Amino acid sequence: MKKRLSFLDKYLTLWIFLAMLLGVGIGYFVPNSSNFINSFSSGTTNIPLAIGLILMMYPPLTKIDFSKIPKMFEQPKLLTASFLITWIVGPFLMFLLSTFFLKDYPEYMTGLIIIGIAPCIAMVIVWNELAEGNRELTAGLIGINSLLQVFFFSSYAYFYLKVMLPLFGIKGLELNITIVEIAQTVGIYLGIPFVLAVVSRFAIRKFVGEKWFNQKFIPFVSPITLIALLFTIVVMFSLKGAMIVDLPLDVIRIAIPLVIFFAIMFFLMFFVSKKIGANYRDSAALSFTAAGNNFELAIAVSIGVFGINSGQAFAGVIGPLVEVPALIILVNVAFWLKKKYFCSFFQ
């Protein structure tokens, strides 16, 4: 049975849109607001944004039973399907959509290509949690995707920007980013909350007991995810509020290929996983992992390589503007698909 939603959960879409409007309003109407927020930065890492993301990731990770993660390797078909669709189909699909819709806007096109080669390793936890997907499978997938990003992001970037673009008649672009820089970004946005979750889960259960942990601690920290999500949205959109208002057509240009990408990846992964025998919880975990993107990494890379005022960075910031409502809609679509295809199995 679907869990009863709290007041905050029930009207989540409304709160998200209000947070988006608030962020854009601050960025547009408050002079130098983006400069003030960026003053709390270390390198390409914005401290308020990092804090929001870490707090957002922590509660879902504390709910994961890490002892069950190795069981994911007992389902090689699911792992193979996830790898092929997330790492082979996904980047190529985003490349095609970017070159088709944004060929005349090379900076935006490049920004979307960078987004496409960075599968989601953070926000997917939130979407999976809202859709009641398999937490352990999601944790395993984001762990694998994190390592793959660390070792192959640079190679993927070189392949798509330096090899594929010229093949499509578009001049290749330079992208200088090291494995260490990628590992640092992954470590900040995923590693810190992961370590905190593991330590708190095992320490609290050991000294206070599993019953208190499940009945008291988990309900206490759970609302932090959505509160931190709203805070993160306000901060992220306030950084580019003026540009979003001044360049509405550019926002739409960037949004169109992103919406198409989210929809294709979600439905493709959902029905492929169902075809190979996955239950609803596994299908949801796989689908949201495939559909989402690591905008934090894409934004960090775009700012570090092309600059904070570049079109690539602007495209990266527009990503969450589109992803948040799109993935919220897909959460509701997932429940509809659950009712249509899995209801009789109560999965």
Side-chain angles (χ1 to χ4, degrees), residues 103-118:
K103 187 175 182 179
D104 295 330
Y105 302 87
E107 289 191 353
Y108 298 158
M109 177 189 67
T110 307
L112 256 63
I113 292 174
I114 293 174
I115 290 170
I117 60 178

Side-chain angles (χ1 to χ4, degrees), residues 12-13 15-24 49 52-53 56 123 127 226-240 244 317 320-321 324-325 328:
L12 178 60
T13 304
W15 309 141
I16 286 175
F17 276 108
L18 290 176
M20 290 162 55
L21 290 174
L22 177 60
V24 172
L49 192 59
L53 288 165
M56 183 174 63
M123 284 294 291
W127 310 131
L226 299 181
I227 295 172
L229 171 61
L230 298 177
F231 169 79
T232 301
I233 290 170
V234 172
V235 172
M236 190 174 292
F237 292 162
S238 65
L239 290 171
K240 295 291 182 179
I244 292 171
V317 173
L321 175 69
V324 170
I328 285 293

Side-chain angles (χ1 to χ4, degrees), residues 93-317:
L93 174 62
M94 186 69 89
F95 177 84
L96 292 178
L97 292 171
S98 301
T99 54
F100 180 79
F101 286 99
L102 298 170
K103 187 175 182 179
D104 295 330
Y105 302 87
E107 289 191 353
Y108 298 158
M109 177 189 67
T110 307
L112 256 63
I113 292 174
I114 293 174
I115 290 170
I117 60 178
C120 192
I121 61 169
M123 284 294 291
V124 64
I125 298 175
V126 177
W127 310 131
N128 180 73
E129 184 75 5
L130 293 174
E132 300 177 359
N134 188 326
R135 294 170 184 159
E136 290 69 37
L137 178 58
T138 299
L141 290 173
I142 62 177
I144 293 173
N145 286 340
S146 298
L147 292 175
L148 291 175
Q149 282 184 28
V150 169
F151 290 110
F152 297 110
F153 183 91
S154 295
S155 299
Y156 262 59
Y158 180 86
F159 175 73
Y160 278 103
L161 297 178
K162 297 292 289 182
V163 178
M164 290 294 289
L165 282 178
L167 289 178
F168 279 68
I170 303 170
K171 184 180 179 180
L173 299 170
E174 290 291 338
L175 181 67
N176 299 313
I177 188 74
T178 67
I179 287 177
V180 174
E181 290 171 312
I182 298 170
Q184 182 180 19
T185 302
V186 172
I188 291 171
Y189 294 120
L190 187 63
I192 292 176
F194 181 83
V195 171
L196 290 175
V198 171
V199 171
S200 60
R201 180 178 178 87
F202 285 99
I204 293 174
R205 292 172 70 195
K206 179 179 180 180
F207 292 104
V208 185
E210 186 168 354
K211 182 177 180 180
W212 189 90
F213 177 83
N214 291 327
Q215 296 182 0
K216 299 293 183 180
F217 183 75
I218 292 297
F220 175 74
V221 300
S222 290
I224 294 175
T225 294
L226 299 181
I227 295 172
L229 171 61
L230 298 177
F231 169 79
T232 301
I233 290 170
V234 172
V235 172
M236 190 174 292
F237 292 162
S238 65
L239 290 171
K240 295 291 182 179
M243 291 186 69
I244 292 171
V245 174
D246 292 339
L247 301 171
L249 291 180
D250 286 19
V251 173
I252 295 173
R253 289 188 183 99
I254 296 169
I256 291 173
L258 281 172
V259 170
I260 296 173
F261 176 84
F262 295 145
I264 291 177
M265 292 294 288
F266 178 85
F267 285 105
L268 176 62
M269 188 72 256
F270 191 93
F271 287 108
V272 167
S273 59
K274 180 180 181 298
K275 182 70 175 179
I276 59 180
N279 58 31
Y280 168 75
R281 296 183 69 243
D282 290 347
S283 296
L286 290 165
S287 299
F288 284 106
T289 302
N293 291 98
N294 186 357
F295 290 103
E296 300 79 33
L297 176 60
I299 291 171
V301 170
S302 294
I303 291 175
V305 176
F306 301 104
I308 193 169
N309 295 315
S310 65
Q312 290 87 350
F314 181 67
V317 173

